[in-house]
């Protein structure tokens, strides 16, 4: 046999080596594809956490931006992403409403005092560069109605009118907003306006989660953010809630935000039953989705990210022992 010839036994083994290498390559490709399908825009694992794991382990956190979630009676909170202050757009209005209801408490069924629409609020009604509601100078609207117009169709002019009514000027009201944020431990939050129009109003998902949990203790706030629509007195035109997540089972609020700098932002609340049937209120905040694109693209992305979290939470709570979940502590990720 010439020295350069390959022994017959090695020739017979080459097809086996080739098949094995091909199989390895196929398996590797399939693993990569599986990872891509699993991740998509959000990580969509809904597995139950192992013993000792935090209750929020494996939640489909958004791949961009930041998020934070808390479930009453199930431990937490859990958060994901760099908690660096980012613009929050109209999610700002949750703090506006919180301060108004703290300074001027209402009970469910009460309308509160009448507030006169000033020239500024009327002029801002025809703005083509921001979200406003139709108001006329001299109109007298109740405190409850202006809260609805602020939180449901996200009227910037209604939010600023409430701020001037409460504190005399928007600047003075913003001082109240920041003092309230400090009192709530929102150390990475800065408010510069009552509406959220200014990109200089910045916060984190973890900070806004603290506000969400406090705001949902107020029965009037809860009632307003769960409404599907509202209207201006004297008009038959329905002004729909900007929160499309209200169509998902159990969702009871809270507030959208969108702008080019902020992308899509959403503070949400949902009732989720555990495996015993007991209802738990879950609140979450998702920020900075598709930032620096269009407000519409940002909103679409934040609804997708939030819907995935809500669905996973419903599954998680239905299969997890609440007592066991409450014993775990969720680390920030």
């Amino acid at each position: 046999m010439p020295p350069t010839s390959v022994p017959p036994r090695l020739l017979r083994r080459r097809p086996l080596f080739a098949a094995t290498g091909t199989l390895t390559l196929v398996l590797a490709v399939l693993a990569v594809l599986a990872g891509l399908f699993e991740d998509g825009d959000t990580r969509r694992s809904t597995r139950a956490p192992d013993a000792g794991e935090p209750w929020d382990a494996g939640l489909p956190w958004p791949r961009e931006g930041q998020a934070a979630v808390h479930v009453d009676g199930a431990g937490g909170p859990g958060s994901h992403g760099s908690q660096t202050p980012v613009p929050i757009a109209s999610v700002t209005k949750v703090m506006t409403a919180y301060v108004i209801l703290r300074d001027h408490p209402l009970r469910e069924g009460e309308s509160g005092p009448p507030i006169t629409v000033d020239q500024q609020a009327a002029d801002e009604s025809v703005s083509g560069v921001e979200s406003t509601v139709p108001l006329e100078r001299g109109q007298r609207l109740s405190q409850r109605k202006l809260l609805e117009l602020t939180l449901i169709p996200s009227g910037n002019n209604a939010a600023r009118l409430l701020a001037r009514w409460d504190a005399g000027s928007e600047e003075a009201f913003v001082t109240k907003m920041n003092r309230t944020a400090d009192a709530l431990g929102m150390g990475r939050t800065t408010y510069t306006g009552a509406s959220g129009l200014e990109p200089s109003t910045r916060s984190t998902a973890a900070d806004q989660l603290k506000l969400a949990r406090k705001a949902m203790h107020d029965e009037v706030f809860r009632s307003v953010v769960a409404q599907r629509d509202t209207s201006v007195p004297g008009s038959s035109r329905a002004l729909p809630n900007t929160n499309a997540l209200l169509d998902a089972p159990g969702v009871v609020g809270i507030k959208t935000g969108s702008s080019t700098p902020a992308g899509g932002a959403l503070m949400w609340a949902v009732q989720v039953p555990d495996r015993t049937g007991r209802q738990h209120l879950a609140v979450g905040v998702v920020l900075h989705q598709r930032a620096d694109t269009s407000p519409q693209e940002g909103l679409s992305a934040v609804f997708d990210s939030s819907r995935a979290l809500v669905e996973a939470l419903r599954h998680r709570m239905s299969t997890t022992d609440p007592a066991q979940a409450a014993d775990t502590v969720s680390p920030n990720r």
Side-chain angles (χ1 to χ4, degrees):
M1 178 182 300
T4 55
S5 298
V6 179
R9 61 185 179 85
L10 293 183
L11 286 172
R12 287 195 300 270
R13 289 183 180 180
R14 277 185 176 175
L16 178 60
F17 292 157
T20 302
T22 301
L23 178 59
T24 301
L25 178 61
V26 169
L27 290 174
V29 171
L30 288 174
V32 171
L33 290 175
L36 290 174
F37 281 111
E38 179 184 355
D39 284 351
D41 290 334
T42 55
R43 289 189 286 279
R44 299 193 179 268
S45 170
T46 56
R47 67 174 180 81
D50 296 330
E53 271 192 307
W55 65 271
D56 61 322
L59 284 183
W61 298 108
R63 295 191 66 189
E64 62 178 322
Q66 52 186 273
V69 174
H70 179 271
V71 182
D72 286 350
S79 62
H80 178 79
S82 172
Q83 297 297 310
T84 301
V86 295
I88 61 173
S90 286
V91 169
T92 298
K93 295 183 175 81
V94 174
M95 178 61 88
T96 300
Y98 179 78
V99 172
I100 290 292
L101 285 169
R102 182 201 62 193
D103 290 355
H104 312 276
L106 294 177
R107 293 180 180 177
E108 185 56 31
E110 292 181 342
S111 297
I115 299 170
T116 302
V117 175
D118 60 16
Q119 187 65 55
Q120 181 177 341
D123 290 344
E124 291 170 349
S125 295
V126 295
S127 171
V129 296
E130 59 177 320
S131 173
T132 61
V133 291
L135 300 176
E136 296 181 6
R137 180 181 178 180
Q139 271 184 303
R140 288 173 66 80
L141 304 179
S142 69
Q143 176 189 341
R144 163 82 190 220
K145 179 55 68 173
L146 281 172
L147 284 169
E148 291 179 7
L149 294 173
T150 295
L151 293 169
I152 296 173
S154 201
N156 287 354
N157 55 339
R160 293 191 285 261
L161 176 59
L162 280 171
R164 293 191 296 275
W165 169 72
D166 174 84
S169 69
E170 186 178 1
E171 293 75 17
F173 187 80
V174 168
T175 298
K176 284 188 175 186
M177 295 172 76
N178 285 309
R179 286 176 179 168
T180 304
D182 289 342
L184 293 177
M186 300 166 64
R188 296 186 176 185
T189 297
T190 302
Y191 291 102
T192 59
S195 69
L197 179 66
E198 303 83 1
S200 51
T201 289
R202 291 174 170 256
S203 187
T204 67
D207 270 9
Q208 290 298 305
L209 184 67
K210 296 175 183 178
L211 173 60
R213 295 178 62 194
K214 292 290 289 185
M216 288 299 285
H217 288 161
D218 187 284
E219 61 179 348
V220 171
F221 179 86
R222 289 197 309 270
S223 173
V224 171
V225 296
Q227 284 184 222
R228 298 305 181 99
D229 57 51
T230 188
S231 62
V232 177
S235 172
S236 59
R237 176 189 169 197
L239 301 172
N241 198 317
T242 57
N243 184 6
L245 201 66
L246 284 171
D247 293 333
V251 174
V252 292
I254 302 178
K255 185 70 191 79
T256 61
S258 63
S259 68
T260 296
L266 183 62
M267 180 187 288
W268 47 262
V270 57
Q271 293 284 356
V272 290
D274 62 31
R275 68 181 185 182
T276 69
R278 178 189 171 198
Q279 294 286 339
H280 300 258
L281 181 67
V283 291
V285 180
V286 180
L287 300 179
H288 222 49
Q289 302 297 289
R290 300 292 294 157
D292 299 319
T293 60
S294 68
Q296 295 77 16
E297 190 171 345
L299 271 181
S300 178
V302 81
F303 285 139
D304 287 346
S305 298
S306 298
R307 190 171 288 108
L309 282 169
V310 166
E311 291 172 356
L313 282 172
R314 291 179 64 83
H315 174 78
R316 177 64 49 79
M317 291 302 293
S318 70
T319 58
T320 301
D321 183 346
Q324 177 184 354
D327 288 337
T328 64
V329 178
S330 304
N332 290 342
R333 279 177 286 283

